[in-house]
Amino acid sequence: DGGITQSPKYLFRKEGQNVTLSCEQNLNHDAMYWYRQDPGQGLRLIYYSQIVNDFQKGDIAEGYSVSREKKESFPLTVTSAQKNPTAFYLCASGNSGTEFFGPGTRLTVL
Amino acid sequence: AQSVTQPDIHITVSEGASLELRCNYSYGATPYLFWYVQSPGQGLQLLLKYFSGDTLVQGIKGFEAEFKRSQSSFNLRKPSVHWSDAAEYFCAVGISGGSNYKLTFGKGTLLTVNP
């Protein structure tokens, strides 16, 4: 099956710990994206990558980091510098201007 | 910078009634336009998109949207709503071309369907 997978679906971490969210796609898409979703805020872009080994900051990149070593994978690390990391995180991939979304990871920092 | 406005935060309709969700964008040229739907705790599913051509586009689940350049709008419509349509709907715009293509999303409209 072709698609976008995010793991885990739920993630709990203690304050001050870094945590890495996984995003994998087998759609052969060049572009991949990370969004953060909070109630009433819509989707806000964290980082995006149009090609392997290259990525750009989105609107709310502070406290996050990414890598794009493989076309299929775009992991997001939420660092201890992120002041309010509890949120729903969505990964997307796309070609030709259309983005397709994974099922999301809900991160709760205790 | 482009922006997207969904004026209605929450809409309630009765099952079988017609539906229109509003979306306005701010951008100098004609962007790519999208509507996505999200069920609670899930990812976003693409309903339809407009890139060029016919300004009335058909999507999945019986939805359609009309691009009106003069009003900078891309409203989503459905003639008869089903209870399963209850979800949150997001309008998005993307700037075509360039190496830094990305989407900008509206804040969403939550649809409640009464039996």
Side-chain angles (χ1 to χ4, degrees), chain B residues 90-108:
Chain B
F90 292 94
C91 180
V93 302
I95 299 177
S96 62
S99 61
N100 290 322
Y101 176 87
K102 56 181 179 176
L103 298 186
T104 298
F105 285 82
K107 294 191 174 182

Side-chain angles (χ1 to χ4, degrees), chain A residues 39-55:
Chain A
Q41 296 292 318
L43 276 71
R44 293 183 289 169
L45 184 63
I46 304 172
Y47 269 99
Y48 61 110
S49 168
Q50 301 288 353
I51 197 168
V52 174
N53 292 322
D54 189 37
F55 49 82

Side-chain angles (χ1 to χ4, degrees), chain A residues 10-85:
Chain A
Y10 299 96
L11 190 54
F12 298 88
R13 279 296 182 268
K14 292 183 179 179
E15 194 171 340
Q17 289 182 334
N18 291 357
V19 61
T20 297
L21 281 59
S22 169
C23 178
E24 305 277 334
Q25 55 99 0
N26 61 4
L27 301 169
N28 200 33
H29 288 164
D30 289 316
M32 297 188 74
Y33 307 83
W34 273 106
Y35 293 90
R36 171 182 172 139
Q37 188 176 27
D38 298 280
Q41 296 292 318
L43 276 71
R44 293 183 289 169
L45 184 63
I46 304 172
Y47 269 99
Y48 61 110
S49 168
Q50 301 288 353
I51 197 168
V52 174
N53 292 322
D54 189 37
F55 49 82
Q56 289 80 38
K57 293 182 179 180
D59 301 317
I60 57 164
E62 185 176 351
Y64 299 97
S65 66
V66 294
S67 63
R68 186 86 188 277
E69 297 176 2
K70 298 187 300 182
K71 187 175 186 177
E72 303 79 22
S73 178
F74 191 41
L76 173 74
T77 297
V78 185
T79 75
S80 56
Q82 169 49 232
K83 291 182 171 50
N84 186 18

Side-chain angles (χ1 to χ4, degrees), chain B residues 65-87:
Chain B
E66 186 173 12
F67 167 59
K68 293 186 177 180
R69 186 189 308 274
S70 61
Q71 298 176 19
S72 296
S73 69
F74 189 56
N75 293 350
L76 182 71
R77 302 195 294 249
K78 187 170 185 178
S80 177
V81 170
H82 188 263
W83 63 267
S84 61
D85 293 323

